[in-house]
Amino acid sequence: MDLRFTQEQEELRRAVRQFAEQVVAPVVLPMEESDQFPVSLIASMAQAGLMGIPIPKQNQGAGMDFISYVLAINEISRISAAAGVILSVHTSVGTLPIVQYGTVEQISKYVPQLATGQYLGAFALTEPQAGSDAAAIRTTAVREGDYYVLNGSKLFITNAGAASTYITFAVTNPAKGSYGISAFIIERDMPGFLVGRNERKLGLHGSSTCELFFDQLKLHISQRLGAEGDGFTIAKGSLDGGRIGIAAQALGIAERALQLTEDVWNKERIVIRNQRVALPYTQAKIAELVMQVEAAKLLVYRAAYMRQQGVRCTKEASAAKLYASDTAVKVTNAVMQLQGMDSCLSGCVMERLFRDAKATQIYEGTNEIHRIVISGQLLR
């Protein structure tokens, strides 16, 4: 593995960082205060070409590689983790599954709209009784001739309140267990489909998280993604990429928090202005945080590299997501402790980063589940 980014990747990183600092940063506080989905920001991201970075050019995407996409998530999340997760879910699990598993007709109908940001994508797997255990979903899709009739509900679906398309999973053959789950592409305005209220969350204000309801939703077989019974395979394959995206989001949070340790350093130098070194404890703590962030970065980009090469990376994606999210929580907690009471005030950047970091340990599979995934890959 080449640990260096290409010139094209570095150019993208610089461009996205500039975009984040100039376009995303001004809307962060309004998003925090209103908790409203940033429609105008998403339009700006679409205009900048960020909604379809790894999508082939023939499908109106940027035609760039998966590492470039992860770099973009990383940079956006340094400024706004909420904007980062919107982009991550839209691309990793809202668009790429159609590119990878869709028919020619499905790809031509949906992917250009998603890649250009005219549509926003969502991924509907989680249910009240099936969070980490995706095979336990209860939403059903009963075949009736050339149609399926869906009934059930989904919970905690990111982008749900603003999405146009929802990759949704339902049981088509209960007797086959996980091999009896199928995937479908649902459009927002289909009769029998209802989006519930927007959930109020600890962090990630501005991102939309809703419940979904299916009541006798009639879908033509042309809306099925992949073959009947392939749903669980599609979900698992898509989640590897999604977890790398969330790992990149967590890394961005940790990197921004680490950057803010400069404030602590400068304050302590003022307090001990007659000395040439900062307090030893602070130096040791910052060194520890730097090592954790650098280790997280290596895990994230190793997983991204494997994904880009088409190599199975379930273990590596889980490791990256687990370690980067744990690191985000540890680093934000440590920097808040170093900064003191100032960091606990509402509206403070560190207070927001601390709240945002927690979610990364829970969604795209809880970190407890990822420990099982990692050990299971080793002990199988």
Side-chain angles (χ1 to χ4, degrees), residues 22-347:
Q22 294 180 357
V23 181
V24 180
V27 304
V28 171
L29 188 57
M31 284 170 63
E32 280 296 304
E33 293 177 342
S34 68
D35 200 11
Q36 295 297 308
F37 188 84
V39 176
S40 61
L41 174 60
I42 301 307
S44 298
M45 292 169 67
Q47 187 175 11
L50 300 181
M51 304 302 284
I53 292 174
I55 308 304
K57 289 184 177 180
Q58 63 264 33
N59 301 130
Q60 304 301 311
M64 303 186 76
D65 57 27
F66 192 78
I67 291 177
S68 296
Y69 158 64
V70 171
L71 280 168
I73 296 294
N74 191 176
E75 290 296 332
I76 291 290
S77 299
R78 288 169 63 103
I79 302 300
S80 170
V85 75
I86 292 169
L87 179 58
S88 178
V89 168
H90 164 80
T91 307
S92 293
V93 292
T95 305
L96 284 175
I98 304 178
V99 175
Q100 294 165 351
Y101 302 101
T103 63
V104 173
E105 291 76 15
Q106 288 171 339
I107 292 172
S108 62
K109 181 179 181 180
Y110 295 113
V111 175
Q113 303 268 38
L114 289 161
T116 55
Q118 296 176 63
Y119 284 178
L120 185 70
F123 184 84
L125 178 62
T126 300
E127 297 184 2
Q129 307 84 10
S132 298
D133 183 7
I137 65 171
R138 297 181 183 177
T139 295
T140 59
V142 178
R143 181 79 176 263
E144 295 183 357
D146 288 339
Y147 292 86
Y148 288 92
V149 178
L150 271 67
N151 285 283
S153 65
K154 300 291 180 179
L155 189 68
F156 301 138
I157 306 304
T158 302
N159 289 351
S164 305
T165 57
Y166 306 74
I167 297 178
T168 303
F169 299 84
V171 177
T172 48
N173 190 337
K176 291 187 176 181
S178 61
Y179 294 100
I181 295 173
S182 300
F184 301 89
I185 304 172
I186 292 177
E187 298 176 17
R188 185 181 185 88
D189 58 356
M190 288 180 167
F193 177 54
L194 176 66
V195 178
R197 65 181 177 84
N198 194 47
E199 300 288 356
R200 295 178 61 85
K201 306 182 295 294
L202 172 70
L204 302 175
H205 292 174
S207 68
S208 173
T209 306
C210 305
E211 195 170 3
L212 305 179
F213 301 94
F214 314 103
D215 183 11
Q216 296 294 111
L217 170 59
K218 194 173 184 179
L219 283 179
H220 191 266
I221 57 173
S222 62
Q223 296 302 119
R224 190 185 65 215
L225 183 63
E228 186 170 297
D230 282 353
F232 195 65
T233 299
I234 292 172
K236 288 195 298 181
S238 302
L239 286 172
D240 283 348
R243 286 160 179 169
I244 298 170
I246 298 305
Q249 177 203 18
L251 177 62
I253 295 171
E255 288 176 329
R256 181 69 186 283
L258 188 61
Q259 182 183 19
L260 294 176
T261 59
E262 295 177 12
D263 296 340
V264 177
W265 177 272
N266 291 331
K267 284 182 180 180
E268 292 206 357
R269 285 178 64 87
I270 292 172
V271 171
I272 55 172
R273 60 171 59 90
N274 295 324
Q275 301 180 33
R276 290 187 175 273
V277 295
L279 293 176
Y281 172 80
T282 301
Q283 288 179 298
K285 193 63 179 178
I286 291 175
E288 181 182 336
L289 300 181
V290 169
M291 290 188 293
Q292 291 173 343
V293 172
E294 289 299 316
K297 185 183 300 183
L298 289 172
L299 285 171
V300 170
Y301 286 103
R302 180 185 67 158
Y305 175 80
M306 293 179 67
R307 179 76 172 182
Q308 180 171 292
Q309 296 301 310
V311 178
R312 184 177 181 184
C313 58
T314 298
K315 173 170 65 69
E316 290 77 12
S318 284
K321 189 271 183 188
L322 190 159
Y323 191 83
S325 59
D326 279 356
T327 296
V329 171
K330 289 176 183 177
V331 172
T332 53
N333 181 63
V335 175
M336 286 187 76
Q337 193 69 25
L338 290 172
Q339 285 189 342
M341 280 302 297
D342 288 349
S343 67
C344 297
L345 300 177
S346 178

